[in-house]
Amino acid sequence: MSDYPEPLHHDDLALETAQPRLKRPPLYRVLLLNDDYTTMEFVVRVLQAIFHHPEERAAQIMLHVHQRGAGICGVYTREIAESKVEQVLRYAQEHEHPLQCTMEPDTDDEGDTE
Ligand code: TYC
């Protein structure tokens, strides 16, 4: 008997080379919509509390939404974006503001790399 173990034979195993994991999840923009009733102060608070923007940036985004009708609060994977939308709507309802929030695919997102 040899001192060495028999070499392993993989003849009946289908061995596949693992492909590098290049897939990235699709991204979604979370948007705030303007309305005539929600206070500017409340929108800035939402942008700070839920989207973690510093006050100055939050005020910029709020003014953009106020002037243009809608604006991007952040870009996230689907589950995170859905959660942000829910948080905004719940927070707005709790404070009796009609603030609306929605999400859409991020068309600047290149999707999976080849
Ligand atoms: N238009 C509101 C006002 O004049 C302010 C506002 C800004 C409301 C952004 C909603 O998403 C919004 N009080």
Side-chain angles (χ1 to χ4, degrees):
M1 235 205 13
S2 127
D3 290 339
Y4 300 103
E6 280 291 298
L8 290 173
H9 294 290
H10 291 294
D11 298 351
D12 52 357
L13 286 179
L15 294 180
E16 283 176 25
T17 315
Q19 290 297 313
R21 291 164 49 97
L22 296 175
K23 282 202 164 185
R24 288 187 291 108
L27 298 178
Y28 294 81
R29 301 170 185 160
V30 174
L31 302 164
L32 274 186
L33 307 183
N34 189 35
D35 68 71
D36 292 338
Y37 304 101
T38 306
T39 63
M40 292 184 171
E41 185 189 24
F42 183 77
V43 177
V44 171
R45 211 190 318 153
V46 164
L47 288 161
Q48 290 180 270
I50 298 173
F51 298 95
H52 308 293
H53 290 298
E55 185 174 2
E56 203 174 319
R57 179 75 185 125
Q60 269 179 3
I61 296 169
M62 181 280 296
L63 277 180
H64 176 99
V65 177
H66 175 69
Q67 287 162 359
R68 308 283 291 272
I72 301 175
C73 312
V75 177
Y76 307 95
T77 55
R78 184 157 56 84
E79 288 80 1
I80 305 282
E82 283 168 353
S83 165
K84 297 284 181 189
V85 171
E86 282 167 16
Q87 288 176 61
V88 172
L89 297 179
R90 179 160 21 105
Y91 193 47
Q93 273 177 13
E94 281 167 7
H95 293 81
E96 302 189 329
H97 287 293
L99 181 63
Q100 289 300 305
C101 183
T102 187
M103 60 192 266
E104 66 179 22
D106 178 21
T107 48
D108 295 337
D109 178 31
E110 287 173 358
D112 298 341
T113 48
E114 355 64 78

